[in-house]
Amino acid sequence: MQLSPRQQQIVAIVKRSGPITSQQIAEELNLTRAALRPDLAVLTMSGILEARPRVGYFLSSKPSQALVAEEIKKIKVGDVKGLPRVIRASASVYDAIVNMFIEDVGTLMVVDEEGHLEGVLSRKDLLKAAIGGGDLQKMPASVVMTRMPNIICTTPEESVLTAARKIIEHEVDALPVVRPVDGQGKKLEVVGRLTKTTITRLFVELGEGGR
Ligand code: ADP
């Protein structure tokens, strides 16, 4: 459920000054009580606000699903992203495997000499190369990576919810967090990564009330 700007204002007022009467809320917003009634009805029916006669409106002690959703939508990728883990496209598959162990990650971002995104290497990409029987020290990582423009990316400004939906829809473990370096958005600088672990950590933080 998406709260309207006015409903968000009402929630903010009640959060700050509750318990508060509808008359007082109306005065703060320069509205009549009648004009406020539909919004207050929505907010109480959805369980965000509670109302008691002669006391007024106050924030529900059980935060409603809608309020939790509102909070989650506000969290941006830039608030939670991890450090980028990158290798050069010219690196060998062998180097990529060693790098994956050293960095303790499951996905490596592959970049060109200028640090622009060229591709992504997953564990299974490297396993596939390893069972292929070639010389892993000689085989360039770029041969087995998934390459641009087929990379699903996110940006620091995107909401974590949207980015998490991309992870599910495209069935990948990680998204490079990028910033376009040219006007056309063809060259992308890798500024971080968002993984299933990032989302799991955020979920635990939210559940434990630490955020
Ligand atoms: P694994 O293959 O280890 O299970 P993934 O599910 O993340 O890991 O990767 C599946 C395939 O998708 C791999 O071939 C990988 O190169 C590719 N891939 C991984 N991340 C992305 C991404 N963000 N965008 C496009 N392709 C990706």
Side-chain angles (χ1 to χ4, degrees):
M1 176 186 144
Q2 186 82 42
L3 296 186
S4 70
R6 185 190 287 170
Q7 288 163 357
Q8 288 177 24
Q9 272 181 313
I10 297 171
V11 171
I13 291 171
V14 174
K15 208 177 202 173
R16 190 187 67 226
S17 314
I20 180 168
T21 64
S22 59
Q23 182 61 44
Q24 289 166 318
I25 301 173
E27 279 166 18
E28 274 211 42
L29 293 174
N30 271 330
L31 293 168
T32 62
R33 273 177 70 193
L36 211 55
R37 204 164 292 133
D39 288 322
L40 286 171
V42 168
L43 291 170
T44 44
M45 277 189 303
S46 60
I48 295 173
L49 300 186
E50 288 182 45
R52 218 166 277 148
R54 285 185 297 280
V55 177
Y57 289 86
F58 53 94
L59 224 47
S60 168
S61 49
K62 283 186 281 164
S64 74
Q65 195 84 14
L67 211 54
V68 172
E70 283 295 310
E71 286 304 311
I72 288 176
K73 277 185 205 142
K74 280 191 218 150
I75 305 171
K76 303 284 175 226
V77 168
D79 301 330
V80 296
K81 71 178 168 60
L83 291 173
R85 303 291 184 208
V86 300
I87 60 158
R88 289 281 175 83
S90 54
S92 68
V93 168
Y94 180 89
D95 287 338
I97 294 173
V98 171
N99 218 286
M100 204 172 258
F101 276 106
I102 291 174
E103 301 281 4
D104 195 17
V105 292
T107 312
L108 293 169
M109 311 305 162
V110 185
V111 295
D112 65 16
E113 300 77 46
E114 285 154 11
H116 302 144
L117 183 65
E118 277 212 350
V120 164
L121 268 177
S122 77
R123 279 177 280 227
K124 260 181 249 151
D125 292 333
L126 295 174
L127 277 176
K128 223 185 294 170
I131 60 172
D135 184 347
L136 301 185
Q137 309 245 22
K138 293 213 177 93
M139 194 186 298
S142 56
V143 173
V144 289
M145 70 185 185
T146 301
R147 49 176 64 247
M148 287 283 279
N150 298 323
I151 304 299
I152 313 300
C153 299
T154 180
T155 61
E157 297 76 30
E158 187 163 65
S159 95
V160 172
L161 188 65
T162 306
R165 205 177 290 124
K166 287 182 182 174
I167 287 181
I168 302 281
E169 278 172 9
H170 296 278
E171 299 183 357
V172 293
D173 288 348
L175 304 178
V177 184
V178 298
R179 222 193 290 274
V181 281
D182 58 351
Q184 299 143 7
K186 279 199 179 137
K187 285 195 186 295
L188 302 169
E189 182 196 356
V190 185
V191 295
R193 68 197 176 104
L194 189 85
T195 68
K196 286 181 177 172
T197 308
T198 320
I199 311 285
T200 308
R201 194 176 303 119
L202 175 62
F203 178 81
V204 170
E205 274 178 30
L206 288 170
E208 292 179 345
R211 183 165 271 273

